[in-house]
Amino acid sequence: MTFPAKLPIPSEVLKIAKKLEDAGFETWCVGGAIRDNLLGLENHDFDLTTSAPPAEVQKIFRRTVPVGIEHGTVAVLDATNQPHEVTTFRKDIQTDGRHAVVEFGVSLMDDLARRDFTINAIAYHPIRHEWRDPFQGEQDLAKKLIRSVGDPNWRFQEDYLRILRALRFSARFEFRIQAGTLEAAKANAQGLAQLSAERVRDEWFKGIQTAKKLSKLVTLWRDVGATRIWLPEMGAGSGELGAVDTLPRDPVLITAYLAKDPASLLTRLKCSNKDIERGRAIGLWRDKYPDAKDATGIRRWLAAVGEHADDLLVLLPAPRSALPHAVEKIRAAHPPLALKDLAVKGDDLIAAGVRPGPDVGETLGRLLEEVLDDPSRNTREYLLSRV
Ligand code: ATP
Ligand code: MG
């Protein structure tokens, strides 16, 4: 592969680059969009890197958002309010495996050298149509290789998240991880423990959404040792892995599916309570499906699993494939499935002589049981006759 003479840069990005260059600041396109376009994949989200200090970028453009100002990143809003990231050439001068103290006033070469992988360290000048590829990223794209920029041990120790990024890019593009880089990733896996749960979760979820074959990503996480540290509930087995490739790319659903104890895994990843409850329901119900021929059983199941029914249907083991159709038929009849669907309310029971207090809820629960057995019983007359 060789560099194309020109890359089609969106006009809004080009405008920003021109304005910076006209003000005397060198400005290049870098990062994921360059990589993806060289691979023939659509990506219009070009990041710019510039010699302009952050304060200059904020002065030159009327509308900016300081999205990562401490690292030199300013988002410039275009005419349609789309943000475009502009980052000042920077170098990491102090790192601890998680954060970096950065220095500006450095060259494009320094800026490319601080990037994670060679395929992410290619720069293109949108006006002069020049390329800079000091680490032979273009060769690695052709060879389908993920390779650290510089010494992989050192680079992973600067920021352990790069280990997980290597796995994500490998699974997304079906690239091999270069031997030395892979060896260093494994050797430094223990450092992953230092990362924040949020960064790990974002990386894991992004991986789920972008991997070509999800089972490949899961295997990489296992082989490198990342699973052992961050996803121990996933265990070492790979028996269920084949099926994962057929599931929708919903990160919470996939994570719950793979985990023996989904709620504890999602809690470790600091997911929202809603997501944790979703995982808990999956863990609780995934081996308790009703029989497709048992309408009462299905109604009871729908009542019990509530909003989680569709997740459970998606995760249904293949031999039970008659169930979704049976559930659909039952749902179409809109049977009463919850207390709120009953033809009587608590007040009706009290008027009929039930003692206010816990007895009311208990009675409603009993009536719901009857109605789940036979929805035609859901009339005021019948239910009051049973009180
Ligand atoms: P995508 O956005 O498609 O996931 P990307 O390569 O654009 O991939 P971003 O996280 O958007 O990834 O980062 C943009 C660029 O910043 C990367 O291409 C890389 O050059 C650099 N970069 C991002 N994260 C790191 C990191 N942890 N260490 C070193 N360089 C990084
Ligand atoms: Mg990106």
Side-chain angles (χ1 to χ4, degrees):
M1 189 164 65
T2 47
F3 288 116
K6 284 185 182 187
L7 271 194
I9 303 297
S11 63
E12 293 299 330
V13 176
L14 197 57
K15 265 191 222 164
I16 296 170
K18 280 208 169 109
K19 217 162 162 185
L20 286 163
E21 287 270 339
D22 288 346
F25 299 108
E26 201 187 331
T27 301
W28 296 73
C29 295
V30 282
I34 296 292
R35 175 199 65 216
D36 292 351
N37 279 278
L38 288 172
L39 287 171
L41 306 171
E42 200 164 322
N43 186 342
H44 307 294
D45 196 11
F46 286 86
D47 295 325
L48 293 172
T49 185
T50 182
S51 61
E56 286 296 328
V57 178
Q58 287 171 308
K59 249 190 257 165
I60 292 170
F61 297 97
R62 238 179 339 122
R63 298 187 310 139
T64 60
V65 184
V67 288
I69 196 85
E70 68 285 7
H71 293 126
T73 305
V74 173
V76 175
L77 301 183
D78 68 19
T80 66
N81 277 336
Q82 282 298 110
H84 300 277
E85 285 199 359
V86 177
T87 305
T88 304
F89 293 163
R90 61 175 248 209
K91 189 161 125 176
D92 299 349
I93 49 168
Q94 205 185 323
T95 55
D96 64 358
R98 302 193 282 175
H99 331 88
V101 176
V102 313
E103 183 182 272
F104 305 126
V106 301
S107 66
L108 173 68
M109 287 304 143
D110 286 326
D111 187 80
L112 294 176
R114 62 98 182 160
R115 292 172 184 272
D116 49 5
F117 304 108
T118 61
I119 60 168
N120 290 344
I122 304 171
Y124 171 73
H125 199 283
I127 301 156
R128 298 200 304 267
H129 309 294
E130 289 171 17
W131 294 89
R132 292 289 183 277
D133 182 17
F135 306 102
Q136 285 79 50
E138 180 261 352
Q139 276 181 35
D140 286 341
L141 281 175
K143 287 194 266 184
K144 295 173 169 275
L145 217 48
I146 309 292
R147 180 201 306 270
S148 288
V149 169
D151 176 62
N153 275 296
W154 176 240
R155 301 311 310 283
F156 288 143
Q157 284 161 21
E158 283 179 332
D159 180 2
Y160 291 102
L161 193 77
R162 291 171 188 157
I163 295 175
L164 303 182
R165 287 174 58 89
L167 310 183
R168 168 158 66 88
F169 292 127
S170 170
R172 171 170 167 198
F173 300 121
E174 297 191 306
F175 279 19
R176 264 182 321 113
I177 301 174
Q178 182 263 341
T181 299
L182 182 60
E183 202 180 309
K186 289 181 180 169
N188 289 288
Q190 196 53 44
L192 292 168
Q194 294 180 32
L195 294 172
S196 73
E198 289 82 355
R199 284 182 92 199
V200 173
R201 178 195 62 215
D202 289 352
E203 196 51 48
W204 167 242
F205 281 11
K206 239 195 241 177
I208 290 174
Q209 284 164 327
T210 57
K212 211 165 256 164
K213 260 185 101 187
L214 190 47
S215 53
K216 184 73 213 234
L217 180 75
V218 176
T219 305
L220 283 169
W221 271 62
R222 273 188 186 143
D223 292 350
V224 157
T227 300
R228 176 171 53 79
I229 293 169
W230 277 100
L231 317 170
E233 291 83 355
M234 279 181 17
S238 54
E240 74 288 356
L241 254 194
V244 87
D245 290 322
T246 65
L247 294 176
R249 297 301 180 94
D250 176 327
V252 174
L253 182 87
I254 299 274
T255 304
Y257 171 78
L258 289 169
K260 292 197 191 75
D261 181 350
S264 98
L265 179 42
L266 295 167
T267 303
R268 175 171 315 94
L269 293 179
K270 297 216 167 115
C271 290
S272 67
N273 287 334
K274 192 171 175 353
D275 288 344
I276 294 169
E277 288 319 309
R278 205 177 155 203
R280 194 188 313 285
I282 290 170
L284 205 60
W285 290 98
R286 66 180 152 200
D287 44 13
K288 301 188 188 77
Y289 287 100
D291 192 308
K293 295 193 204 77
D294 174 9
T296 297
I298 291 175
R299 281 191 298 271
R300 286 180 177 278
W301 177 80
L302 283 171
V305 303
E307 61 179 322
H308 304 294
D310 290 314
D311 278 349
L312 292 160
L313 289 174
V314 166
L315 298 180
L316 197 67
R320 290 185 171 268
S321 53
L323 187 59
H325 184 63
V327 169
E328 204 179 307
K329 252 178 70 187
I330 286 180
R331 276 174 162 169
H334 300 291
L337 294 173
L339 296 184
K340 67 171 172 46
D341 303 329
L342 287 176
V344 292
K345 302 283 165 258
D347 289 346
D348 301 320
L349 300 192
I350 293 168
V354 177
R355 193 153 25 117
D359 285 0
V360 175
E362 223 165 83
T363 310
L364 285 171
R366 203 160 38 74
L367 295 177
L368 179 60
E369 293 292 317
E370 290 210 34
V371 161
L372 288 170
D373 280 341
D374 178 359
S376 74
R377 291 172 175 162
N378 194 26
T379 65
R380 213 179 137 77
E381 302 71 54
Y382 176 81
L383 295 179
L384 289 178
S385 80
R386 301 291 299 158
V387 173

